[in-house]
Amino acid sequence: MKLLFDENLSPRLVAGLSDVFPGPVHVRDVGLSRATDAAIWGYAQDHSPTIVSKDSDFHQANFLRGPPPKVVWIRRGNCTTADIEALLRSSRTEILAFGSDVEAAFLALS
């Protein structure tokens, strides 16, 4: 399962989580810095990563359009990159199960 971190998450998550989620990328790594949500959505549809974001717009898009792509929504207010990394690490089993579930489209973590 490949993760695509949205602009609102630190690019440092790529290196910080590559040992537990192989091949993660940040939107800036694929030429999508400052891209619209629609452009990120389109990229994810074409390349099959799961979008990871703190942006509720991806939740709404997923609800309206359905997958692909899958979306992991991080429902935390102001927090550090270390907090986000810890959340994703502690939720690894749940995230991988979500990725394997062909019917699942959306996962909220808090």
Side-chain angles (χ1 to χ4, degrees):
M1 167 177 200
K2 190 170 187 173
L3 302 179
L4 173 64
F5 296 112
D6 189 17
E7 188 78 26
N8 58 22
L9 296 171
S10 172
R12 291 181 292 161
L13 290 169
V14 171
L17 291 167
S18 62
D19 62 323
V20 291
F21 296 104
V25 294
H26 190 269
V27 291
R28 75 174 190 173
D29 299 329
V30 294
L32 293 171
S33 289
R34 299 187 184 117
T36 64
D37 290 347
I40 294 167
W41 188 270
Y43 174 88
Q45 283 182 314
D46 293 342
H47 297 91
S48 302
T50 295
I51 297 171
V52 181
S53 181
K54 289 180 75 176
D55 186 347
S56 64
D57 291 347
F58 285 113
H59 170 251
Q60 294 165 354
N62 189 271
F63 180 73
L64 292 172
R65 300 177 190 158
K70 292 181 177 236
V71 174
V72 173
W73 183 26
I74 298 175
R75 296 189 61 189
R76 290 222 171 147
N78 291 335
C79 59
T80 67
T81 298
D83 292 336
I84 299 295
E85 182 177 340
L87 172 65
L88 293 171
R89 282 183 177 280
S90 68
S91 303
R92 181 179 185 272
T93 301
E94 184 179 4
I95 294 168
L96 293 176
F98 164 69
S100 298
D101 185 342
V102 295
E103 295 188 20
F106 181 78
L107 176 64
L109 299 175
S110 55

